[in-house]
Amino acid sequence: MSPPRGLAIGVVGAGTAGSAAAIALARAGHACTLLERVAEPGPVGAGITLQPTGQAALAQLGLLAAIEARATRVD
């Protein structure tokens, strides 16, 4: 019997960073469980600013263009 390929990982928080981390880890072959305390996440009236490092991470995941299409740029 061969050893398991990846790890079983729990990611706490389905915000931008938690979701991106879970996607990256799953794509790397790990079994991820994403934990969020809110039953149905949704807008809460606050904006989210994505700094260049966050944008780079989303670009690496192939998600930045889709997010930019729905975002409003702040200059």
Side-chain angles (χ1 to χ4, degrees):
M1 182 186 302
S2 62
R5 180 170 175 245
L7 302 171
I9 300 172
V11 177
V12 179
T16 305
S19 295
I23 290 169
L25 289 164
R27 287 182 180 175
H30 303 289
C32 288
T33 301
L34 184 57
L35 305 169
E36 175 56 53
R37 70 177 170 171
V38 178
E40 294 185 33
V44 293
I48 297 173
T49 302
L50 291 172
Q51 300 297 327
T53 53
Q55 293 176 36
L58 291 170
Q60 189 173 22
L61 293 170
L63 302 172
L64 184 60
I67 290 170
E68 287 180 329
R70 298 188 57 146
T72 300
R73 185 174 177 87
V74 177
D75 291 314

